Amino acid sequence: MEFNIAVIPGDGVGPEIASSAVKVLDAVGEKFGHKFCYDYVDAGGVSIDKYGVPITEENMQKCLKADSVLLAAVGGYKWDTLPGHLRPERALLGIRKSMGLFANIRPARLNPYLKDACPLRAEAADKGFDMIIVRELTGGIYYGARGRRNGEGGEEAFDTECYSEKEVERIARVAFNLAMGRRKKVTSIDKANVLESSRLWREVVHRVAKEYSEVECSDMLVDNAAMQLIKNPSQFDVIVTSNMFGDILSDEASQLTGSIGMLPSASLGEGKVGLYEPIHGSAPDIAGTDTVNPLATVLSVAMMLRLSLGLEKEAQAVEEAVDSVLKNGYRTRDILNNGTSPLKCTEMTRKLIEEIKK
Ligand code: IPM
Ligand code: MG
């Protein structure tokens, strides 16, 4: 089969991991007889430098037309002082919104071969964990009214957290449906002891929960959740939460897996088309050094193969390749074991391709 993939290399380490992902996809194509055609899209800082905007309308259209979008990373120090509407991150937020990708799926699982990289106590690491964070992605404080005004204390700035029943309902359904195919447990995370938006969130989640009598559903306050993730991550199966809480908690969960360089994500809407990206950022401090870990992006490719392109065995082949390289002791700098020497990003990519071709 033939597929059109929009590829956004972006900024910082982005081009390095995008190149790794494309090489892996090509190896999958060769092995399983598919053709992946790439439409390269400038977005983020690179687009600001070229066109003065985080993403041009033409490039946005390329994303909307593709069978799927693969994004590496956007942002960097260079553009940090630009006003909000011109920052590189705006490209990502714009793509998510324009494509209607309201559900961000972030699996966090402790790979058995990476137990030594997990910062938790041995008892907790030995138990392992395997959770999916379902983050609402096109609402909440990321998209609510914001601005500046003069107040009694001088200049004020505000951002607004606002959720509608419809937004909560559809993300809750994604979480419950996922839980049905797993350990049938949903933890909804909010701050209902303080925020009205969280109280509505809770009401709606409980309403949806009634449709899924087999799924055990509980609520947890976000501050407690931050603690529970460290104390006992194995208690979580599917977490469902708002845009901002999901952003924060998924970074926390990623550290438990050993490195933020390990976590993939899928952003989905009503249809099959999705946006796939590692949860980490552009890491400008290590850009161009060929030391970035490509595995989060490569695992995002696996999610794309499975969820958008319907290629399950191809997805498994990629995931098995990742498991094999880790099993064989190959590590990039961020997940290094005592006594091993780190592989470069390009070397790790070559190891993955060897595994896929086997
Ligand atoms: C993420 C990132 C983005 C977010 C940034 C780059 C806008 O942190 O995908 O988690 O906050 O959603
Ligand atoms: Mg984030």
Side-chain angles (χ1 to χ4, degrees):
M1 285 167 82
E2 193 172 314
F3 301 96
N4 292 313
I5 316 290
V7 180
I8 308 180
D11 310 311
V13 295
E16 295 162 62
I17 49 180
S19 147
S20 173
V22 164
K23 285 180 190 146
V24 167
L25 258 178
D26 283 340
V28 169
E30 225 173 274
K31 166 132 185 183
F32 294 90
H34 305 298
K35 186 158 184 246
F36 298 105
C37 306
Y38 309 105
D39 203 355
Y40 284 88
V41 172
D42 282 325
V46 64
S47 170
I48 295 173
D49 288 351
K50 273 195 196 168
Y51 310 108
V53 287
I55 184 162
T56 62
E57 189 43 47
E58 194 190 332
N59 277 328
M60 183 67 89
Q61 288 305 324
K62 285 188 186 175
C63 296
L64 291 168
K65 281 203 309 255
D67 291 320
S68 203
V69 183
L70 186 66
L71 182 142
V74 294
Y77 312 128
K78 186 177 169 191
W79 306 281
D80 269 353
T81 51
L82 289 172
H85 68 286
L86 283 178
R87 288 184 60 108
E89 291 80 0
R90 188 49 74 94
L92 180 54
L93 300 178
I95 295 169
R96 288 172 179 169
K97 194 72 169 181
S98 303
M99 293 178 69
L101 307 174
F102 64 86
N104 188 211
I105 317 284
R106 301 190 156 184
R109 147 181 176 260
L110 183 60
N111 187 301
Y113 304 113
L114 279 187
K115 273 191 184 155
D116 47 286
C118 171
L120 297 179
R121 295 184 317 277
E123 311 97 83
D126 280 343
K127 267 208 231 161
F129 57 85
D130 178 358
M131 70 185 91
I132 294 188
I133 299 178
V134 177
R135 169 190 177 195
E136 198 293 323
L137 202 62
T138 50
I141 200 163
Y142 272 54
Y143 294 93
R146 63 168 53 95
R148 301 228 177 176
R149 62 191 169 206
N150 288 320
E152 274 178 17
E155 191 180 12
E156 292 177 356
F158 63 95
D159 299 275
T160 317
E161 173 86 347
C162 175
Y163 270 114
S164 68
E165 288 180 280
K166 181 183 155 208
E167 286 172 315
V168 182
E169 212 177 296
R170 66 185 183 183
I171 195 70
R173 284 225 162 77
V174 171
F176 282 96
N177 286 335
L178 275 171
M180 284 301 286
R182 294 171 47 95
R183 303 197 304 279
K184 298 197 170 65
K185 198 175 161 194
V186 169
T187 310
S188 170
I189 294 177
D190 62 35
K191 187 68 185 171
N193 53 348
V194 179
L195 304 178
E196 198 54 39
S197 51
S198 281
R199 287 190 274 270
L200 177 71
W201 178 282
R202 217 176 247 218
E203 277 167 40
V204 177
V205 170
H206 290 183
R207 205 190 294 155
V208 175
K210 292 207 179 94
E211 297 168 28
Y212 296 84
S213 55
E214 283 176 56
V215 178
E216 178 195 334
C217 173
S218 55
D219 307 298
M220 192 178 277
L221 295 172
V222 63
D223 43 355
N224 183 28
M227 188 170 77
Q228 294 298 330
L229 269 174
I230 291 175
K231 217 172 145 190
N232 177 18
S234 67
Q235 71 184 287
F236 296 109
D237 178 19
V238 176
I239 285 175
V240 62
T241 192
S242 64
N243 204 342
M244 185 161 70
F245 295 161
D247 178 43
I248 299 167
L249 294 175
S250 58
D251 271 28
E252 186 185 349
S254 79
Q255 275 311 294
L256 305 179
T257 68
S259 164
I260 195 167
M262 290 302 300
L263 250 68
S265 85
S267 303
L268 298 166
E270 302 290 355
K272 278 258 169 237
V273 179
L275 168 76
Y276 297 83
E277 51 173 327
I279 80 152
H280 64 75
S282 61
D285 51 326
I286 57 164
T289 61
D290 197 20
T291 54
V292 61
N293 182 349
L295 295 182
T297 316
V298 167
L299 288 168
S300 304
V301 164
M303 292 186 89
M304 178 176 90
L305 291 166
R306 172 175 295 124
L307 300 173
S308 280
L309 310 184
L311 302 175
E312 176 61 31
K313 65 176 189 305
E314 291 79 346
Q316 277 175 20
V318 173
E319 287 165 350
E320 280 162 16
V322 170
D323 275 353
S324 296
V325 293
L326 293 174
K327 185 177 170 192
N328 292 334
Y330 298 117
R331 300 281 190 273
T332 41
R333 202 184 53 168
D334 56 313
I335 47 173
L336 208 55
N337 236 340
N338 287 339
T340 55
S341 60
L343 288 192
K344 296 280 190 190
C345 172
T346 44
E347 292 166 335
M348 185 60 122
T349 308
R350 264 199 299 279
K351 294 285 174 209
L352 289 167
I353 290 168
E354 279 167 25
E355 285 299 328
I356 290 169
K357 288 193 169 163
K358 265 185 191 164

